[in-house]
Amino acid sequence: MLTLPDINFLHQLAALAEHKILTPSRPQYATEVAESLTRELRDAIAIEIEDELKNHILNAYPTHVVHTSYLMPTPAHSEFEWVIKLFASRVQGVSCIGMLIGLAINGGTEMCMLSHPFTRERFWSDGTQTRIFSPVGEFELSTRQNIRLDQAILHINTDFDFTTGSGWVKEIRDSVLVTRRGDPYYALAMLATGYLDICIIAAESIAEFMPALILIQNAGGLFTVYESRLPGASNMIIASGSQTVHHQILQLLMPIT
């Protein structure tokens, strides 16, 4: 048994998650609509897969604490805390499942693994440069730098009503080049890759997003968390690929700060 978990252990967890996601369910989920997939994820499939990973972690590290998407977060009982989160997204119109795995040591996220088995991608960081393994190879990732806000691609998550509104909502939409909408987890990986420039996420729990945020940070981006700011959503996370764009988007958000 390892004294401390390392990134190889997270790759083992990712491989286990990929096997559990793909082997029993790929024919069904490759054609399932997002709404049906989400209903399934709320039920036994999410619990079964997350429990499998949780048990694998606790077998190796019995004193660690593991938070799952259906048991998020409780007061810590260990200096080592894991977050495992099964999420649903749509890639080119196909509903897919991915897995987010994070490890925090003494309250600070140290490692993250985001596995998207349907695209055969893994994104990870062990406290250094964010990396990707994909069908085209393994590379270090870097966010897109040296762009203006009017050149930026913005992504918002489905829990945040960005389709209407006035004031800062309208101002943000009018200021960027393109606004997209959908799953926030895979979007954060795409921000680390440089395909997106800003992610605005309404989040019930900040903790479940913290692992993915270090993918951004270690690829050259940055993020800001506003707690208890949005009616109905409570918390908001703003992640950006560059300091210039991040500063500009925060200026537009001044009315809610």
Side-chain angles (χ1 to χ4, degrees), residues 228-242:
S228 303
R229 297 294 185 181
L230 294 177
S234 181
N235 306 312
M236 184 167 66
I237 302 168
I238 304 97
S240 307
S242 73

Side-chain angles (χ1 to χ4, degrees), residues 86-153:
L86 206 66
F87 62 90
S89 61
R90 290 181 67 84
V91 178
Q92 296 183 347
V94 176
S95 299
C96 310
I97 303 175
M99 177 64 76
L100 177 70
I101 305 163
L103 173 64
I105 302 176
N106 293 320
T109 303
E110 295 289 336
M111 291 190 289
C112 174
M113 172 73 65
L114 191 149
S115 172
H116 209 281
F118 285 86
T119 60
R120 294 189 291 163
E121 294 170 309
R122 289 185 191 175
F123 307 84
W124 75 89
S125 178
D126 58 354
T128 57
Q129 187 75 23
T130 300
R131 301 185 69 84
I132 181 176
F133 177 80
S134 74
V136 296
E138 182 178 328
F139 308 97
E140 290 187 350
L141 294 181
S142 179
T143 58
R144 196 159 71 129
Q145 303 285 332
N146 303 318
I147 64 164
R148 305 185 308 268
L149 186 60
D150 65 318
Q151 300 170 316
I153 301 173

Side-chain angles (χ1 to χ4, degrees), residues 16-105:
L16 176 60
E18 290 161 5
H19 172 74
K20 295 294 290 185
I21 290 169
L22 292 176
T23 302
S25 57
R26 183 167 191 168
Q28 177 185 358
Y29 288 153
T31 58
E32 198 78 336
V33 298
E35 291 76 13
S36 297
L37 180 61
T38 302
R39 284 196 296 270
E40 291 286 354
L41 283 173
R42 292 196 189 107
D43 298 323
I45 292 173
I47 295 173
E48 176 190 346
I49 295 175
E50 290 183 8
D51 274 348
E52 182 96 13
L53 267 69
K54 179 178 180 179
N55 291 336
H56 192 83
I57 293 169
L58 293 178
N59 284 338
Y61 304 100
T63 62
H64 290 197
V65 171
V66 182
H67 304 294
T68 63
S69 62
Y70 58 92
L71 190 63
M72 283 294 295
T74 54
H77 302 289
S78 168
E79 63 178 315
F80 299 97
E81 290 188 85
W82 295 82
V83 170
I84 52 177
K85 168 76 176 181
L86 206 66
F87 62 90
S89 61
R90 290 181 67 84
V91 178
Q92 296 183 347
V94 176
S95 299
C96 310
I97 303 175
M99 177 64 76
L100 177 70
I101 305 163
L103 173 64
I105 302 176

